[in-house]
Amino acid sequence: MGSPIYKGEVQHRVLLLTSYNSQYYTFEPQVEGLREIFEPNGIEFDLMFMDAKKHGSTKDIETFHNYFVERVNIQRDYDGVLLADDEAVKFAMQYHEDIFHDIPIVFFGVNNMTLAQMAVERYEMYGFFENDYLVDTMELAIKLMPDKKVYYGIHDNSPAGLADRVLYNRVKNNHPEYEFNEINIATIPFEDLDTVIQKIPSDAVLIFMTCFTDSVKIVHSTNEMTNIIINNTDIPIMRNFSSGFSDGVLGSIGIDFTIQCKMAAKYMTDLLSGKSIKNDKLVVDTPHFSEFDYLMLQKYDIDEKKLPNDAVIFNRPLTFVDMYGNLFPTLGLIFLSMVSLLGAVYTTVLIGKETNNELRESKDELIKSQEKLKYQAEHDDFLDILNRRSAVDYLRENFTIKHVYSVLMIDIDNFKDVNETYGHQLADEILKYLALELEHMADARNWMIARYGGDEFLLMVPNEQLDENSNSIEEILNMFRTPIPVGDETIILSCSIGISVSDGATLPDQHIMNAEIAMYEAKVRGRNKAFKYADELKKKVREENKIKAKILDAFDNDGFYMVYQPQIDAKTKQVTGYEALVRIKAEGLYPNVFIPILETSGWIGRLGRVTTELVIKQLATWRDEGKKLHPVSINFSSNQIGDTGYVDFIKGLLSSYNISGEFVEIEITEGLFLERTDQAERLFEQFNELGIKLLMDDFGTGYSSLGYLTYIPVDYVKLDKSLVDGYLEDGKDSFIKDVIQLVHDIDKKVIVEGVEEKWQYEKLRAFSADIIQGYYFSKPLMPGDAIEFRADDK
């Protein structure tokens, strides 16, 4: 349950100066921890980002200092300062007398102990040192498995990977009696990684460190690297970050950023309220997660008593006490009776026989209990089919490269919509129904079925090599398409199926990964279909991974920039505004290539924040150069709706750069308006409160009903280029004219995109279009050219 919301006046205002930017992986949990303490205590905080990963040179720091003192008066505007990570602390120390004297300062997330101690002792700050738990992880591994004397550490060449390597070698130096080896994935071809891992001795322990960037700079996901590791070795694996679920790793220890920041916020709250800090000014005991997989503990015969006291053990099956604790009183009486009967066996043979029978029955009950516990460990407790781990073990134990079989990965399309629309309880019942139908189908054909993930199923079909057109595949697709009655309504679902078939060379584990890749390809191709894995698909995935690596590099190294396409008043030919369009500095990567990958990878929200900051920063630059400002529209993807902090983010930028909301416009596709969710409507209200106008983008490519335009809160409707190309010709152009007139009738303005010819412009002007955008007037321009552009000579 969250903290109560403070309903009184704001008591204090604090500045949070963070070393990096809002995309850094620690930012969200840190802010969550601060808010949980500050909000109920009437404390508000503003944000400033140094972005020191991109701009960390001495000159960059001087530039940031100049910007900081121009925009912020610490003594006047704030009651306290929070510093996140090392660079912010260095900045505050460097400019302590100039900026930060005589104000409470609390820092967190600092990795350099010398820096933390200096900040506390010389500059009277309070702070929280951030301990890396790799050393603790390795020392615990040694404690848990004293008989294992060989260790392998796997890492990459990223800064985090190299930092982990230093700590790994520190433990190595402390334990000369052990053998320590390294695998650096950045120094070997990624396709050889399987073979390298397979060569690790069976009596070793593997330390899973930061190892996600391969030799060609492709960044792989945690799940992908975990699957590669566990599928190619059967030794104990430990790592220094948490997962919270079973994936074949024995145990994990990781930092809890949220709790650390709650502690920092509590320190600041006490300081602002005049309370003395009774604890140490420098806290070095970093809060952390400690978690272990019960199945792995059992597999490697590890004593739970050796685990840390606060360790969380998941995957633990129900114990005999859990299931039969309420029967203990009765069993106790039975046990006492048995003792009495055993004592009387010497006096009567009859009583002896009865006692033996009861003991036999008790033994049978214990055997049944053990079998039940084993069943529960191997099956999904919700759907009562095999779980993911058991399915993988089944394939490993029963099939080799010589067998003929097919592996199917099935995912329900858009199942989250069912959860959101009908609630989790009904969605769970539908999931059970579908699982039961699949199980009946599998039982009738001697297939193996398992739950692979939330709404994903794994099927293994022996003695068949299926493809997209196989009857079995069509039966599965039809089963999911069959309407499901729910009260007075009917729900119609679909599924996407990935297929991987035996080829005499690929191991079963790899077929699971291949089927998953093929399933995602089926989704990309429109869902409600099956797709068969082929090596070309793996090549496509690798190419996409290369693009993803370039995208991530762009995020980390200022690799995005904006171009601005002028929007021209149809009557006066004056510039009225611009549409901001994102580009990437990496050669050969165009928006039609990298935008879809950003959407499918879930990074579009991160890009949205980057482009928003670039645009507002550009507006400030134009203003400082004495240029006349016009509104700039920013594209907002419907997938960004999940970024609930976006409005606060843009509000902070407008404040930091002193830009009015009237110069920012948001372009949203009509799908987001059609959904009319509470979240979307609140978003529109917040934009309106900031003075930001809304534009409906791509009108004419989707539902395109003029009826709903009467109630949605847009100021401009942008007619898509497809309407211009398809209808702005003799015999059809009256449609365009009518659309423009109807939009005007509901008191909204029309922007027409994709205008490339003079005759198109003249006809649209005659039809009373308000604003023209397209190559006839100008292509998208770099900022300097855009602000100087004039259309008078056209």
Side-chain angles (χ1 to χ4, degrees):
M1 185 174 179
S3 300
I5 300 300
Y6 182 83
K7 298 183 182 297
E9 294 183 2
V10 174
Q11 301 296 304
H12 298 284
R13 188 175 298 278
V14 172
L15 175 67
L16 169 58
L17 176 61
T18 177
S19 298
Y20 308 124
N21 58 35
S22 61
Q23 312 306 319
Y24 196 58
Y25 76 102
T26 63
F27 176 70
E28 292 294 342
Q30 286 173 342
V31 170
E32 179 185 343
L34 296 177
R35 282 179 175 154
E36 191 167 335
I37 299 299
F38 281 160
E39 286 185 356
N41 286 285
I43 300 175
E44 290 189 351
F45 63 94
D46 295 332
L47 287 163
M48 287 197 74
F49 300 100
M50 293 180 63
D51 209 6
K53 278 195 176 293
K54 297 179 184 176
H55 309 292
S57 68
T58 301
K59 181 173 175 44
D60 289 328
I61 299 302
E62 290 177 0
T63 301
F64 179 77
H65 166 263
N66 295 336
Y67 166 79
F68 189 97
V69 295
E70 180 183 345
R71 301 292 182 186
V72 179
N73 185 324
I74 287 288
Q75 310 301 327
R76 181 192 66 201
D77 299 333
Y78 298 103
D79 304 308
V81 175
L82 290 164
L83 304 172
D85 299 294
D86 298 56
E87 299 306 317
V89 174
K90 291 177 185 176
F91 181 82
M93 290 165 58
Q94 182 177 350
Y95 296 105
H96 188 266
E97 290 304 315
D98 182 17
I99 302 175
F100 297 97
H101 62 281
D102 297 330
I103 191 166
I105 299 177
V106 178
F107 63 81
F108 53 84
V110 172
N111 303 111
N112 186 320
M113 176 59 82
T114 302
L115 176 69
Q117 291 172 331
M118 187 181 300
V120 169
E121 294 168 7
R122 296 188 186 180
Y123 297 92
E124 298 184 351
M125 300 182 190
Y126 297 81
F128 293 80
F129 176 72
E130 186 173 284
N131 181 34
D132 188 308
Y133 282 95
L134 179 61
V135 172
D136 302 75
T137 301
M138 295 179 65
E139 294 290 355
L140 180 58
I142 291 171
K143 174 184 175 182
L144 296 177
M145 297 168 281
D147 57 321
K148 294 187 179 293
K149 303 295 184 181
V150 180
Y151 279 74
Y152 277 74
I154 182 167
H155 65 88
D156 59 21
N157 268 351
S158 68
L162 294 176
D164 281 350
R165 179 178 180 269
V166 170
L167 296 175
Y168 180 84
N169 284 323
R170 182 184 301 173
V171 178
K172 173 182 176 180
N173 295 333
N174 291 337
H175 293 278
E177 71 277 18
Y178 286 79
E179 176 187 336
F180 290 87
N181 307 275
E182 293 180 38
I183 299 174
N184 186 344
I185 71 168
T187 62
I188 57 177
F190 190 71
E191 55 269 22
D192 295 340
L193 182 58
D194 291 5
T195 304
V196 172
I197 295 174
Q198 289 167 10
K199 291 180 179 178
I200 298 176
S202 59
D203 61 344
V205 175
L206 181 62
I207 304 299
F208 183 175
M209 299 182 279
T210 304
C211 62
F212 307 111
T213 306
D214 67 18
S215 57
V216 293
K217 307 299 183 184
I218 294 175
V219 180
H220 302 270
S221 69
T222 303
N223 285 342
E224 181 181 2
M225 292 305 303
T226 303
N227 282 331
I228 290 172
I229 291 171
I230 66 171
N231 289 335
N232 288 284
T233 186
D234 199 34
I235 63 176
I237 302 168
M238 296 278 286
R239 64 183 167 202
N240 60 326
F241 55 92
S242 300
S243 70
F245 58 88
S246 175
D247 56 9
V249 174
L250 167 62
S252 310
I253 302 179
I255 297 168
D256 190 328
F257 298 106
T258 301
I259 292 181
Q260 184 185 63
C261 287
K262 286 172 63 176
M263 295 164 63
K266 182 64 168 61
Y267 264 40
M268 179 59 74
T269 303
D270 288 346
L271 288 170
L272 295 178
S273 62
K275 296 180 182 178
S276 61
I277 304 296
K278 298 180 180 179
N279 302 317
D280 294 334
K281 293 183 69 174
L282 177 61
V283 178
V284 298
D285 185 16
T286 310
H288 65 282
F289 294 106
S290 179
E291 58 188 22
F292 293 85
D293 187 335
Y294 176 84
L295 299 179
M296 295 295 105
L297 292 171
Q298 297 298 304
K299 179 176 180 178
Y300 300 116
D301 194 26
I302 294 175
D303 186 359
E304 289 185 33
K305 295 178 181 178
K306 294 182 178 181
L307 299 179
N309 293 332
D310 60 350
V312 174
I313 300 177
F314 54 86
N315 253 355
R316 186 196 297 275
L318 293 175
T319 64
F320 186 84
V321 174
D322 293 330
M323 293 189 298
Y324 301 110
N326 58 334
L327 298 179
F328 273 5
T330 303
L331 291 174
L333 292 175
I334 294 174
F335 178 74
L336 291 174
S337 300
M338 290 170 59
V339 172
S340 300
L341 290 171
L342 287 170
V345 72
Y346 298 102
T347 59
T348 170
V349 174
L350 179 60
I351 295 177
K353 288 181 178 180
E354 291 177 355
T355 302
N356 287 336
N357 288 337
E358 289 190 16
L359 286 171
R360 189 178 299 110
E361 290 174 2
S362 177
K363 179 181 178 182
D364 291 342
E365 286 298 319
L366 287 172
I367 292 173
K368 289 178 181 178
S369 296
Q370 290 174 346
E371 290 175 349
K372 184 173 182 178
L373 291 173
K374 183 174 183 295
Y375 181 89
Q376 290 174 329
E378 294 175 347
H379 288 71
D380 182 86
D381 58 357
F382 180 67
L383 298 181
D384 198 29
I385 56 179
L386 288 179
N387 57 32
R388 178 174 180 164
R389 169 58 53 184
S390 299
V392 174
D393 289 343
Y394 177 88
L395 285 173
R396 288 174 180 170
E397 294 167 5
N398 292 280
F399 294 90
T400 67
I401 58 175
K402 297 180 181 180
H403 287 90
V404 174
Y405 59 91
S406 300
V407 175
L408 311 181
M409 184 73 72
I410 304 170
D411 181 81
I412 306 174
D413 295 329
N414 299 318
F415 194 66
K416 67 175 184 177
D417 293 343
V418 178
N419 273 294
E420 293 171 358
T421 305
Y422 298 97
H424 292 289
Q425 184 174 356
L426 182 58
D428 287 347
E429 293 304 315
I430 292 173
L431 194 61
K432 287 181 179 179
Y433 166 78
L434 293 171
L436 187 61
E437 291 294 302
L438 270 181
E439 188 176 14
H440 289 160
M441 185 181 294
D443 289 345
R445 295 165 172 78
N446 196 30
W447 297 350
M448 181 218 72
I449 178 174
R451 186 184 191 183
Y452 193 74
D455 58 349
E456 293 178 342
F457 299 94
L458 186 69
L459 284 176
M460 201 291 299
V461 180
N463 305 316
E464 292 186 66
Q465 291 183 316
L466 304 177
D467 59 31
E468 298 94 328
N469 301 314
S470 297
N471 291 335
S472 297
I473 297 298
E474 191 60 33
E475 283 186 55
I476 296 172
L477 289 170
N478 286 334
M479 188 207 84
F480 278 88
R481 294 169 185 152
T482 302
I484 303 172
V486 177
D488 297 331
E489 299 184 53
T490 298
I491 295 177
I492 300 178
L493 298 172
S494 65
C495 71
S496 298
I497 305 175
I499 308 168
S500 183
V501 301
S502 56
D503 55 9
T506 304
L507 293 171
D509 290 355
Q510 185 62 46
H511 279 301
I512 296 176
M513 297 174 66
N514 292 349
E516 189 168 14
I517 291 171
M519 181 267 290
Y520 283 116
E521 183 65 17
K523 287 189 175 296
V524 169
R525 293 176 179 240
R527 297 184 171 88
N528 192 25
K529 63 182 62 180
F531 191 83
K532 183 180 178 181
Y533 177 86
D535 287 338
E536 290 77 11
L537 185 57
K538 190 170 187 178
K539 181 180 179 181
K540 176 186 175 184
V541 171
R542 289 193 65 81
E543 288 300 317
E544 286 189 357
N545 284 337
K546 290 179 181 179
I547 295 172
K548 288 179 181 178
K550 291 180 180 179
I551 291 171
L552 290 174
D553 182 69
F555 277 125
D556 292 337
N557 296 292
D558 192 24
F560 293 102
Y561 67 98
M562 307 303 292
V563 293
Y564 299 85
Q565 187 168 33
Q567 296 169 332
I568 310 300
D569 186 290
K571 293 180 180 178
T572 67
K573 291 190 177 179
Q574 298 300 304
V575 174
T576 63
Y578 306 91
E579 179 180 0
L581 301 163
V582 66
R583 300 290 187 264
I584 197 168
K585 295 175 183 177
E587 187 176 351
L589 275 188
Y590 302 102
N592 64 327
V593 174
F594 69 81
I595 293 294
I597 291 177
L598 282 158
E599 293 275 8
T600 57
S601 300
W603 299 337
I604 200 67
R606 185 176 181 183
L607 179 69
R609 293 200 176 200
V610 170
T611 56
T612 300
E613 184 164 5
L614 287 172
V615 167
I616 295 177
K617 184 177 180 180
Q618 185 60 57
L619 282 164
T621 300
W622 282 335
R623 178 202 58 212
D624 295 343
E625 293 173 349
K627 307 297 183 182
K628 181 181 178 181
L629 296 186
H630 296 290
V632 179
S633 62
I634 305 168
N635 287 285
F636 186 93
S637 167
S638 58
N639 289 329
Q640 286 178 252
I641 193 69
D643 184 1
T644 55
Y646 178 77
V647 174
D648 287 337
F649 174 75
I650 196 171
K651 183 179 180 181
L653 290 174
L654 292 172
S655 174
S656 296
Y657 288 99
N658 195 24
I659 293 294
S660 170
E662 67 181 301
F663 294 114
V664 177
E665 298 173 341
I666 300 293
E667 294 195 20
I668 303 179
T669 54
E670 60 183 325
L672 195 54
F673 294 107
L674 283 171
E675 292 175 4
R676 298 194 72 184
T677 63
D678 292 340
Q679 188 174 0
E681 291 187 359
R682 175 59 185 147
L683 179 70
F684 303 150
E685 291 174 4
Q686 291 174 316
F687 283 140
N688 183 61
E689 290 167 2
L690 292 175
I692 295 174
K693 289 183 169 60
L694 295 181
L695 286 67
M696 176 182 286
D697 196 15
D698 298 336
F699 186 82
T701 61
Y703 187 75
S704 302
S705 167
L706 291 166
Y708 67 76
L709 287 177
T710 60
Y711 60 78
I712 59 176
V714 296
D715 300 280
Y716 295 89
V717 175
K718 297 189 75 174
L719 302 191
D720 188 72
K721 184 179 185 298
S722 61
L723 285 182
V724 175
D725 294 341
Y727 291 95
L728 197 62
E729 59 183 55
D730 292 341
K732 295 182 179 180
D733 54 8
S734 60
F735 172 75
I736 297 286
K737 182 178 181 181
D738 290 342
V739 170
I740 293 173
Q741 183 58 52
L742 286 167
V743 172
H744 285 165
D745 288 343
I746 55 177
D747 201 26
K748 302 181 190 299
K749 291 185 178 181
V750 175
I751 301 174
V752 184
E753 296 182 289
V755 178
E756 299 178 350
E757 304 290 343
K758 182 178 181 179
W759 68 267
Q760 294 176 325
Y761 158 65
E762 290 176 343
K763 185 168 285 191
L764 289 164
R765 180 180 60 183
F767 289 167
S768 298
D770 299 290
I771 297 171
I772 304 297
Q773 180 181 339
Y775 274 58
Y776 170 65
F777 282 112
S778 175
K779 65 180 181 180
L781 302 171
M782 294 298 290
D785 295 328
I787 199 65
E788 299 293 345
F789 177 79
R790 300 291 180 269
D792 305 29
D793 58 344
K794 282 287 188 178

